[in-house]
Amino acid sequence: MAQSYVQTAAAPALETLSRHRCFGGWQGYYRHQSREIGLPMRFGVYLPPQAETERVPVLTYLAGLTCNEETFAIKAGAQRLASELGIALVTPDTSPRGTDFPGQADNWDFGIGAGFYVDATEQPWAKHWRMYSYINHELPEVIANGFSVDPERQSIFGHSMGGHGALVSALRNPKRYRSVSAFAPICAPTQCPWGNKAFSGYLGSDKASWRAYDATELVQNQPFHSEILIDQGLDDEFLTEQLHPNLFEKAAVKVGQPVELRLHPGYSHNYYFIQTFMADHLKRHAAALHR
């Protein structure tokens, strides 16, 4: 398996945008035609050196508002340890691109770069904004068919909007993911301005439908099978109004869901914070993936 990249006859065509040697492995960026989105979608994959000789487990990272498939790979500093631990890192984009919907780029917290990992039901978004199904159903198939990875060993984590997406994905698909964690996630989107704006736009006015994408609501009825790690900076400018990790912790404790909420004085909402605690998350996921 010369480059630990495999294109099978059954796999949809993947276009390689770029590949870079990185800590003995490869950081690559790819594009494919998505059946769920109905448009080309981009994603990144870091393959550790172990993928040259065996199928490695997969850890998917969901990025936050305004980010794309390159943000984590460039800023998080995760490849060095992923190389040592023998895990692949998958980084999807945060929304469809290439549409011309009115207002799609008017606000940084809605539209382009702000898919919120939901399947939209409102027009015009319903046609392409299907990030939940893309992340949890289509993309794992694309990765399993196209790369030297083990689809039976998957975990997920994310930051901010991506932390929300990771928690929701794991709570709704506990058999797919062996572990889940988050950095400063939007824990109760039905109770914060970001979530209200996005959900009303993508999902409409029926707030009952919003609960399917709210981790604080989900955990009360669909607990995860193992402990959930959340890191939160106490100097995060969005903590009080947007993130509400205390609400998630309270709901989790109520139903006996193990959760470790770590609060860190002095840290804000940026990738300096993420870099600082990245090793803890990678090691925890690696333990579950290699178990």
Side-chain angles (χ1 to χ4, degrees):
M1 206 170 296
Q3 294 181 328
S4 60
Y5 169 84
V6 179
Q7 182 66 60
T8 66
L14 290 180
E15 178 186 359
T16 301
L17 302 177
S18 66
R19 296 179 75 241
H20 314 275
R21 200 68 162 145
C22 185
F23 295 108
W26 291 93
Q27 176 65 57
Y29 299 100
Y30 307 91
R31 179 166 52 206
H32 74 113
Q33 182 65 34
S34 167
R35 68 169 187 267
E36 288 288 351
I37 304 297
L39 293 166
M41 288 294 290
R42 302 193 308 260
F43 62 88
V45 177
Y46 175 70
L47 288 169
Q50 295 87 339
E52 299 283 352
T53 57
E54 62 184 281
R55 292 191 174 272
V56 296
V58 181
L59 177 56
T60 298
Y61 176 88
L62 305 184
L65 290 162
T66 75
C67 296
N68 59 33
E69 75 283 355
E70 294 185 315
T71 308
F72 174 86
I74 294 170
K75 292 185 175 183
Q79 292 96 333
R80 181 193 296 271
L81 187 53
S83 173
E84 296 174 10
L85 296 171
I87 56 177
L89 300 172
V90 174
T91 56
D93 202 351
T94 52
S95 79
R97 301 180 192 262
T99 59
D100 58 357
F101 297 159
Q104 67 177 19
D106 290 353
N107 298 282
W108 65 276
D109 55 355
F110 183 81
I112 298 294
F116 267 85
Y117 305 104
V118 304
D119 284 349
T121 56
E122 293 296 295
Q123 298 300 332
W125 314 102
K127 183 176 182 180
H128 298 300
W129 257 251
R130 297 184 49 79
M131 290 299 293
Y132 173 81
S133 289
Y134 177 72
I135 294 297
N136 291 287
H137 302 301
E138 182 178 8
L139 185 59
E141 295 175 10
V142 172
I143 300 300
N145 288 329
F147 300 89
S148 182
V149 300
D150 180 358
E152 298 302 316
R153 293 184 290 161
Q154 294 188 56
S155 292
I156 193 165
F157 69 151
H159 171 234
S160 193
M161 178 185 72
H164 139 74
L167 292 173
V168 168
S169 294
L171 289 167
R172 289 180 59 173
N173 302 275
K175 293 183 179 181
R176 177 178 293 279
Y177 300 108
R178 293 195 176 188
S179 54
V180 59
S181 69
F183 299 93
I186 304 171
C187 289
T190 62
Q191 301 183 58
C192 76
W194 279 344
N196 273 262
K197 181 176 182 177
F199 286 6
S200 60
Y202 295 139
L203 304 174
S205 59
D206 180 10
K207 292 189 176 182
S209 68
W210 298 8
R211 296 176 189 149
Y213 299 104
D214 185 312
T216 297
E217 295 287 339
L218 288 171
V219 75
Q220 299 177 64
N221 299 306
Q222 300 173 228
F224 195 59
H225 51 68
S226 55
E227 185 177 66
I228 297 171
L229 171 63
I230 296 176
D231 276 313
Q232 176 63 60
L234 288 178
D235 282 21
D236 190 319
E237 61 270 39
F238 303 115
L239 174 57
T240 303
E241 185 178 26
Q242 304 283 11
L243 304 180
H244 301 307
N246 58 308
L247 297 181
F248 180 79
E249 182 184 41
K250 182 179 179 180
V253 169
K254 185 177 179 180
V255 297
Q257 167 66 57
V259 58
E260 183 178 2
L261 173 60
R262 307 194 305 186
L263 304 175
H264 306 285
Y267 289 92
S268 63
H269 201 69
N270 55 35
Y271 270 82
Y272 298 109
F273 158 64
I274 293 172
Q275 288 177 23
T276 301
F277 302 103
M278 178 56 61
D280 293 347
H281 287 246
L282 291 182
K283 289 176 181 178
R284 181 174 294 215
H285 289 299
L289 290 166
H290 286 303
R291 188 175 299 130

